[in-house]
Amino acid sequence: MIGETVRVFLVDDHEIVRRGVGDLLSAEPDIEVVGEAATAAQARSRVAAIRPDVALLDVRLPDGSGIDVCRDLLSADPGIRCIMLTAYDDDEAIYAAVMAGASGYIIKDIRGGGLVESVRKVAAGHTLMDPSLKRRVVDRMRDEGHEDPRLATLSEREREVLALIADGLTNRQIGARLSLAEKTVKNYVSSMLSKLGLQRRTQAVAVQLETRAPHPTRRG
């Protein structure tokens, strides 16, 4: 997205929030707010027609969950990047957002400059999540027994690519790090997700983070 305008769609049931975020983003020369919605139903229909680069979604909407909207949008158009923007620091919602494929989870007390930069990074292909939120996702996966044996099916190169995705690198950056063409990296990512039975990079990141986490010592 370097040198290109980032097209953003806003979803929040509070008009004052949409107006404030919209004004903040529209003031940036490289960001354009291309639409907005107050409900899940409006979001599904309008985003499909407009096809923005980034959708900023409130988690709680009057007629459903922004996380469900995120999942539906990505199923219809995997090229859209979704950021969950919420007032609630909710473990359940954070976990659900990661598994739905959201590229970021941001609490509404973020500073304006931080939100602008988050939109730019997600549009460029980065995955954003505060380290403490990552830790909680890992803990949740462990509690549910999600230590995935399918990781053993990955090739050494696929495991390298997965580790770099978990570090927040884009395909282009991974290619530069591993001296691979960006298209080759994309093929590795597709193969890796297929072997893991996943659809989204963020889901793979959660699996990778779980493998990095130290396990408590078991006493016999």
Side-chain angles (χ1 to χ4, degrees), residues 14-37:
H14 293 99
E15 181 184 0
I16 192 169
V17 173
R18 296 197 308 274
R19 184 173 298 178
V21 173
D23 289 347
L24 173 71
L25 296 178
S26 296
E28 301 297 320
D30 59 335
I31 299 176
E32 178 186 5
V33 176
V34 294
E36 62 180 55

Side-chain angles (χ1 to χ4, degrees), residues 130-143:
D130 182 272
S132 65
L133 299 186
K134 287 183 179 179
R135 175 71 263 167
R136 283 149 61 180
V137 169
V138 168
D139 289 343
R140 170 67 182 272
M141 292 183 71
R142 176 170 298 139
D143 290 344

Side-chain angles (χ1 to χ4, degrees), residues 7-202:
R7 302 171 70 251
V8 180
F9 191 98
L10 307 177
V11 183
D12 196 293
D13 59 328
H14 293 99
E15 181 184 0
I16 192 169
V17 173
R18 296 197 308 274
R19 184 173 298 178
V21 173
D23 289 347
L24 173 71
L25 296 178
S26 296
E28 301 297 320
D30 59 335
I31 299 176
E32 178 186 5
V33 176
V34 294
E36 62 180 55
T39 67
Q42 289 175 354
R44 288 184 175 96
S45 61
R46 294 177 185 178
V47 171
I50 294 174
R51 301 187 67 182
D53 301 308
V54 176
L56 267 176
L57 299 155
D58 192 6
V59 170
R60 302 186 183 184
L61 297 169
D63 58 340
S65 166
I67 294 171
D68 290 337
V69 174
C70 169
R71 185 181 296 107
D72 292 343
L73 295 182
L74 292 175
S75 294
D77 186 352
I80 295 174
R81 304 281 182 176
C82 293
I83 301 175
M84 309 312 302
L85 183 61
T86 179
Y88 303 97
D89 184 6
D90 184 310
D91 283 6
E92 190 76 24
I94 295 166
Y95 178 78
V98 169
M99 300 313 291
S103 295
Y105 190 100
I106 298 173
I107 307 301
K108 285 181 177 176
D109 62 3
I110 189 173
R111 291 183 178 274
L115 178 59
V116 170
E117 190 59 27
S118 294
V119 168
R120 290 186 178 126
K121 286 183 176 180
V122 165
H126 292 274
T127 298
L128 303 179
M129 186 174 290
D130 182 272
S132 65
L133 299 186
K134 287 183 179 179
R135 175 71 263 167
R136 283 149 61 180
V137 169
V138 168
D139 289 343
R140 170 67 182 272
M141 292 183 71
R142 176 170 298 139
D143 290 344
E144 296 191 357
H146 282 187
E147 294 178 285
D148 201 326
R150 291 171 295 180
L151 285 170
T153 67
L154 300 183
S155 69
E156 182 177 351
R157 182 63 86 185
E158 287 166 347
R159 286 168 96 57
E160 288 179 319
V161 170
L162 176 56
L164 293 174
I165 290 174
D167 287 337
L169 274 65
T170 64
N171 285 355
R172 179 173 298 179
Q173 291 169 328
I174 292 171
R177 180 76 63 88
L178 300 179
S179 299
L180 297 171
E182 186 175 355
K183 184 176 180 180
T184 302
V185 174
K186 185 176 181 180
N187 290 337
Y188 277 123
V189 172
S190 297
S191 174
M192 174 195 69
L193 292 176
S194 177
K195 288 180 179 180
L196 294 176
L198 303 174
Q199 295 180 310
R200 311 287 172 217
R201 291 166 70 100
T202 45

